[in-house]
PDB file of all heavy atoms in Angstrom:
ATOM      1  N   LEU J 110     105.038 102.467  83.329  1.00  0.00           N
ATOM      2  CA  LEU J 110     103.863 102.973  84.034  1.00  0.00           C
ATOM      3  C   LEU J 110     103.947 102.701  85.533  1.00  0.00           C
ATOM      4  O   LEU J 110     103.559 103.548  86.360  1.00  0.00           O
ATOM      5  CB  LEU J 110     102.599 102.365  83.464  1.00  0.00           C
ATOM      6  CG  LEU J 110     102.232 102.791  82.030  1.00  0.00           C
ATOM      7  CD1 LEU J 110     101.053 101.970  81.508  1.00  0.00           C
ATOM      8  CD2 LEU J 110     101.901 104.280  81.968  1.00  0.00           C
ATOM      9  N   GLN J 111     104.476 101.530  85.915  1.00  0.00           N
ATOM     10  CA  GLN J 111     104.612 101.210  87.332  1.00  0.00           C
ATOM     11  C   GLN J 111     105.510 102.237  88.034  1.00  0.00           C
ATOM     12  O   GLN J 111     105.299 102.538  89.222  1.00  0.00           O
ATOM     13  CB  GLN J 111     105.223  99.809  87.485  1.00  0.00           C
ATOM     14  CG  GLN J 111     104.305  98.654  87.108  1.00  0.00           C
ATOM     15  CD  GLN J 111     103.416  98.208  88.248  1.00  0.00           C
ATOM     16  OE1 GLN J 111     103.292  98.860  89.271  1.00  0.00           O
ATOM     17  NE2 GLN J 111     102.760  97.064  88.058  1.00  0.00           N
ATOM     18  N   SER J 112     106.466 102.779  87.318  1.00  0.00           N
ATOM     19  CA  SER J 112     107.414 103.712  87.934  1.00  0.00           C
ATOM     20  C   SER J 112     106.751 105.030  88.336  1.00  0.00           C
ATOM     21  O   SER J 112     107.319 105.802  89.109  1.00  0.00           O
ATOM     22  CB  SER J 112     108.566 104.002  86.978  1.00  0.00           C
ATOM     23  OG  SER J 112     108.165 104.858  85.915  1.00  0.00           O
ATOM     24  N   ASP J 113     105.562 105.279  87.837  1.00  0.00           N
ATOM     25  CA  ASP J 113     104.887 106.558  88.117  1.00  0.00           C
ATOM     26  C   ASP J 113     104.028 106.536  89.386  1.00  0.00           C
ATOM     27  O   ASP J 113     103.548 107.579  89.827  1.00  0.00           O
ATOM     28  CB  ASP J 113     103.976 106.942  86.932  1.00  0.00           C
ATOM     29  CG  ASP J 113     104.712 107.746  85.873  1.00  0.00           C
ATOM     30  OD1 ASP J 113     105.852 108.174  86.135  1.00  0.00           O
ATOM     31  OD2 ASP J 113     104.142 107.953  84.788  1.00  0.00           O
ATOM     32  N   TYR J 114     103.802 105.349  89.968  1.00  0.00           N
ATOM     33  CA  TYR J 114     102.856 105.299  91.102  1.00  0.00           C
ATOM     34  C   TYR J 114     103.433 105.934  92.355  1.00  0.00           C
ATOM     35  O   TYR J 114     104.538 105.611  92.794  1.00  0.00           O
ATOM     36  CB  TYR J 114     102.431 103.870  91.421  1.00  0.00           C
ATOM     37  CG  TYR J 114     101.415 103.853  92.579  1.00  0.00           C
ATOM     38  CD1 TYR J 114     100.096 104.231  92.351  1.00  0.00           C
ATOM     39  CD2 TYR J 114     101.803 103.544  93.869  1.00  0.00           C
ATOM     40  CE1 TYR J 114      99.179 104.276  93.386  1.00  0.00           C
ATOM     41  CE2 TYR J 114     100.890 103.571  94.907  1.00  0.00           C
ATOM     42  CZ  TYR J 114      99.579 103.931  94.664  1.00  0.00           C
ATOM     43  OH  TYR J 114      98.674 103.995  95.700  1.00  0.00           O
ATOM     44  N   ARG J 115     102.665 106.828  92.947  1.00  0.00           N
ATOM     45  CA  ARG J 115     102.971 107.410  94.254  1.00  0.00           C
ATOM     46  C   ARG J 115     101.659 107.549  95.020  1.00  0.00           C
ATOM     47  O   ARG J 115     100.651 107.983  94.453  1.00  0.00           O
ATOM     48  CB  ARG J 115     103.607 108.809  94.122  1.00  0.00           C
ATOM     49  CG  ARG J 115     104.898 108.866  93.345  1.00  0.00           C
ATOM     50  CD  ARG J 115     106.061 108.273  94.099  1.00  0.00           C
ATOM     51  NE  ARG J 115     107.309 108.459  93.360  1.00  0.00           N
ATOM     52  CZ  ARG J 115     107.719 107.675  92.373  1.00  0.00           C
ATOM     53  NH1 ARG J 115     106.982 106.647  91.984  1.00  0.00           N
ATOM     54  NH2 ARG J 115     108.856 107.913  91.751  1.00  0.00           N
ATOM     55  N   PHE J 116     101.672 107.209  96.297  1.00  0.00           N
ATOM     56  CA  PHE J 116     100.509 107.512  97.140  1.00  0.00           C
ATOM     57  C   PHE J 116     100.892 108.703  98.006  1.00  0.00           C
ATOM     58  O   PHE J 116     101.475 108.566  99.086  1.00  0.00           O
ATOM     59  CB  PHE J 116     100.115 106.312  97.996  1.00  0.00           C
ATOM     60  CG  PHE J 116      98.845 106.538  98.776  1.00  0.00           C
ATOM     61  CD1 PHE J 116      97.613 106.535  98.128  1.00  0.00           C
ATOM     62  CD2 PHE J 116      98.876 106.771 100.131  1.00  0.00           C
ATOM     63  CE1 PHE J 116      96.430 106.759  98.827  1.00  0.00           C
ATOM     64  CE2 PHE J 116      97.701 107.002 100.847  1.00  0.00           C
ATOM     65  CZ  PHE J 116      96.476 106.987 100.199  1.00  0.00           C
ATOM     66  N   ASP J 117     100.584 109.895  97.509  1.00  0.00           N
ATOM     67  CA  ASP J 117     100.992 111.127  98.196  1.00  0.00           C
ATOM     68  C   ASP J 117      99.797 111.993  98.559  1.00  0.00           C
ATOM     69  O   ASP J 117      99.941 113.207  98.749  1.00  0.00           O
ATOM     70  CB  ASP J 117     102.001 111.910  97.341  1.00  0.00           C
ATOM     71  CG  ASP J 117     101.472 112.213  95.954  1.00  0.00           C
ATOM     72  OD1 ASP J 117     100.281 111.962  95.675  1.00  0.00           O
ATOM     73  OD2 ASP J 117     102.256 112.720  95.115  1.00  0.00           O
ATOM     74  N   ARG J 118      98.650 111.353  98.656  1.00  0.00           N
ATOM     75  CA  ARG J 118      97.404 112.093  98.911  1.00  0.00           C
ATOM     76  C   ARG J 118      97.486 112.954 100.166  1.00  0.00           C
ATOM     77  O   ARG J 118      96.913 114.039 100.250  1.00  0.00           O
ATOM     78  CB  ARG J 118      96.247 111.106  99.029  1.00  0.00           C
ATOM     79  CG  ARG J 118      94.879 111.745  99.206  1.00  0.00           C
ATOM     80  CD  ARG J 118      93.783 110.680  99.296  1.00  0.00           C
ATOM     81  NE  ARG J 118      93.794 109.839  98.101  1.00  0.00           N
ATOM     82  CZ  ARG J 118      93.131 108.687  98.021  1.00  0.00           C
ATOM     83  NH1 ARG J 118      92.463 108.221  99.060  1.00  0.00           N
ATOM     84  NH2 ARG J 118      93.155 107.997  96.888  1.00  0.00           N
ATOM     85  N   TYR J 119      98.187 112.469 101.191  1.00  0.00           N
ATOM     86  CA  TYR J 119      98.220 113.176 102.463  1.00  0.00           C
ATOM     87  C   TYR J 119      99.541 113.908 102.715  1.00  0.00           C
ATOM     88  O   TYR J 119      99.786 114.380 103.831  1.00  0.00           O
ATOM     89  CB  TYR J 119      97.958 112.177 103.611  1.00  0.00           C
ATOM     90  CG  TYR J 119      96.636 111.456 103.447  1.00  0.00           C
ATOM     91  CD1 TYR J 119      96.576 110.171 102.941  1.00  0.00           C
ATOM     92  CD2 TYR J 119      95.432 112.095 103.760  1.00  0.00           C
ATOM     93  CE1 TYR J 119      95.361 109.510 102.770  1.00  0.00           C
ATOM     94  CE2 TYR J 119      94.210 111.452 103.582  1.00  0.00           C
ATOM     95  CZ  TYR J 119      94.186 110.167 103.096  1.00  0.00           C
ATOM     96  OH  TYR J 119      92.988 109.517 102.903  1.00  0.00           O
ATOM     97  N   LEU J 120     100.366 114.014 101.684  1.00  0.00           N
ATOM     98  CA  LEU J 120     101.634 114.731 101.798  1.00  0.00           C
ATOM     99  C   LEU J 120     101.466 116.160 101.302  1.00  0.00           C
ATOM    100  O   LEU J 120     100.811 116.413 100.294  1.00  0.00           O
ATOM    101  CB  LEU J 120     102.713 114.026 100.981  1.00  0.00           C
ATOM    102  CG  LEU J 120     103.116 112.624 101.448  1.00  0.00           C
ATOM    103  CD1 LEU J 120     104.123 112.035 100.464  1.00  0.00           C
ATOM    104  CD2 LEU J 120     103.706 112.676 102.841  1.00  0.00           C
ATOM    105  N   SER J 121     102.083 117.089 102.005  1.00  0.00           N
ATOM    106  CA  SER J 121     102.013 118.495 101.589  1.00  0.00           C
ATOM    107  C   SER J 121     102.791 118.717 100.289  1.00  0.00           C
ATOM    108  O   SER J 121     102.379 119.484  99.418  1.00  0.00           O
ATOM    109  CB  SER J 121     102.577 119.407 102.691  1.00  0.00           C
ATOM    110  OG  SER J 121     101.814 119.273 103.884  1.00  0.00           O
ATOM    111  N   ASP J 122     103.949 118.046 100.184  1.00  0.00           N
ATOM    112  CA  ASP J 122     104.776 118.177  98.984  1.00  0.00           C
ATOM    113  C   ASP J 122     104.508 116.990  98.067  1.00  0.00           C
ATOM    114  O   ASP J 122     104.841 115.846  98.394  1.00  0.00           O
ATOM    115  CB  ASP J 122     106.254 118.219  99.359  1.00  0.00           C
ATOM    116  CG  ASP J 122     106.607 119.445 100.183  1.00  0.00           C
ATOM    117  OD1 ASP J 122     105.989 120.499  99.936  1.00  0.00           O
ATOM    118  OD2 ASP J 122     107.461 119.343 101.068  1.00  0.00           O
TER     119      ASP J 122
END
Side-chain angles (χ1 to χ4, degrees):
L110 292 173
Q111 290 273 12
S112 74
D113 272 350
Y114 181 76
R115 301 287 185 277
F116 186 73
D117 55 8
R118 184 179 302 167
Y119 303 100
L120 295 176
S121 299
D122 296 326

